Amino acid sequence: ALAVGAGLLAAAWRWLRGATRAVTVGSMRGKTVIITGANSGLGRAAAAELLRMRARVIMGCRDRARAERAAREIRAEVGEQEEGEGELVVRELDLASLRSVRAFCHRVLQEESRLDVLINNAGIFQCPYMKTEDGFEMQFGVNHLGHFLLTNLLLGLLKNSAPSRVVVVSSKLYKYGEINFEDLNSEISYNKSFCYSRSKLANILFARELARRLEGTGVTVNSLHPGIVRTNLGRHVNIPLLAKPLFNLVSWAFFKTPLEGAQTSIYLASSPDVEGVSGKYFGDCKEEELLPKAMDDLVARKLWDISEVMVGLLK
């Protein structure tokens, strides 16, 4: 009876939420957008919606075969575009490899005349301890350092294309993170939950410091949390076998779909409402308050300086 009742409640909740798809906020005709991790989840949903809005969308993805398959599916969903009215392009990008990040940016700078929006979306969640190609703890390396280098290498093109935007996908779980400068690479201790939260706090501090540095350039920078979304981001989370049916029911009923979760990214990338808005944090397409530790400018600047050295921008 309890299971049936929960199922009915879940079905009713899903029905009531059925219409929660954002209205397209405007045209992106003539604009070029890069989305990292665009072959699944939030990134895929954002890519499809921005393509519908006539943007040229560059999908930066680690697995090229999966990305090409996702691109074909998105094109089929969106339908044929008129010539010059939106395009989907796949480019290989592995944020766990600084070499790959540099190669991706080199190709973008060679082939693209403009970049209107950069959406730093890709991420890894609570994985076992492992390191990137360059020896960084995986969550900090991918979620923060890879995007840090990517954004810095594309800043010139973003400035030349101004007004342009940088959108940084963070998480509410930043609240449980701390920037420990004595052990950024988790050589002393590793907790997968804490390290994820730390990388998401780093995302917000990076966006805040970047916004400060770009004042007056016409490039805006904002961060966001998408909410709790049903994606494959949680593939490293172990759920007991007996609890999986209940978890699946709860996630189906109460978690956001990827399209619902991507709405704030799409909003920050395209809406005229946030034109000129920079250095803010959003959720559900509205500005939200941050904890003091996410607004600490001294920590943000120190993290920036250390990150520059870690990714090789400075000796």
Side-chain angles (χ1 to χ4, degrees), residues 218-231:
V219 183
T220 60
V221 189
N222 293 290
S223 59
L224 69 104
H225 75 83
I228 304 176
V229 187
R230 292 195 314 275
T231 70

Side-chain angles (χ1 to χ4, degrees), residues 6-228:
L8 291 173
L9 178 63
W13 178 259
R14 291 300 305 167
W15 181 79
L16 289 170
R17 280 202 329 166
T20 55
R21 172 173 177 164
V23 177
T24 299
V25 294
S27 173
M28 292 289 283
R29 182 181 289 108
K31 296 186 182 295
T32 297
V33 181
I34 290 176
I35 307 176
T36 66
N39 62 286
S40 64
L42 298 173
R44 185 191 185 284
E49 290 301 292
L50 291 168
L51 180 64
R52 282 191 177 94
M53 297 161 67
R54 306 296 187 260
R56 172 179 166 82
V57 180
I58 300 173
M59 303 169 63
C61 304
R62 179 177 57 85
D63 189 322
R64 187 177 183 91
R66 289 179 59 199
E68 293 285 6
R69 183 165 59 251
R72 288 193 297 271
E73 292 169 354
I74 291 170
R75 293 185 190 106
E77 292 169 14
V78 174
E80 292 296 324
Q81 304 284 320
E82 296 179 17
E83 189 174 349
E85 292 289 297
E87 185 181 6
L88 209 54
V89 179
V90 172
R91 295 286 180 263
E92 189 173 331
L93 171 63
D94 183 358
L95 289 158
S97 164
L98 299 183
R99 173 183 51 80
S100 176
V101 173
R102 290 191 176 94
F104 173 85
C105 292
H106 179 73
R107 184 168 183 181
V108 167
L109 296 175
Q110 280 191 321
E111 297 179 349
E112 305 298 328
S113 60
R114 63 180 303 108
L115 176 58
D116 299 276
V117 183
L118 170 62
I119 303 180
N120 289 338
N121 165 82
I124 188 167
F125 177 73
Q126 294 191 9
C127 61
Y129 185 76
M130 58 183 76
K131 290 186 176 182
T132 68
E133 178 180 287
D134 305 279
F136 304 125
E137 184 275 310
M138 186 64 72
Q139 293 186 91
F140 190 74
V142 170
N143 299 352
H144 171 60
L145 291 174
H147 282 121
F148 179 89
L149 179 60
L150 175 79
T151 307
N152 272 281
L153 293 179
L154 295 176
L155 273 185
L157 187 56
L158 284 161
K159 290 177 182 178
N160 291 338
S161 307
S164 54
R165 306 179 184 190
V166 178
V167 178
V168 179
V169 179
S170 183
S171 166
K172 273 190 173 181
L173 292 176
Y174 86 86
K175 296 176 181 180
Y176 305 103
E178 300 292 340
I179 304 298
N180 178 7
F181 289 111
E182 302 304 315
D183 192 27
L184 276 181
N185 208 36
S186 301
E187 301 284 355
I188 299 173
S189 66
Y190 179 73
N191 178 289
K192 63 182 182 180
S193 299
F194 168 80
C195 287
Y196 177 76
S197 296
R198 179 168 63 188
S199 73
K200 294 290 101 178
L201 175 58
N203 288 158
I204 296 171
L205 292 168
F206 163 61
R208 185 175 179 87
E209 175 64 10
L210 181 61
R212 184 188 71 81
R213 290 170 179 253
L214 292 176
E215 286 179 3
T217 65
V219 183
T220 60
V221 189
N222 293 290
S223 59
L224 69 104
H225 75 83
I228 304 176

Side-chain angles (χ1 to χ4, degrees), residues 237-248:
V237 178
N238 293 319
I239 300 170
L241 186 62
L242 293 176
K244 280 189 176 181
L246 180 60
F247 176 81
N248 291 336

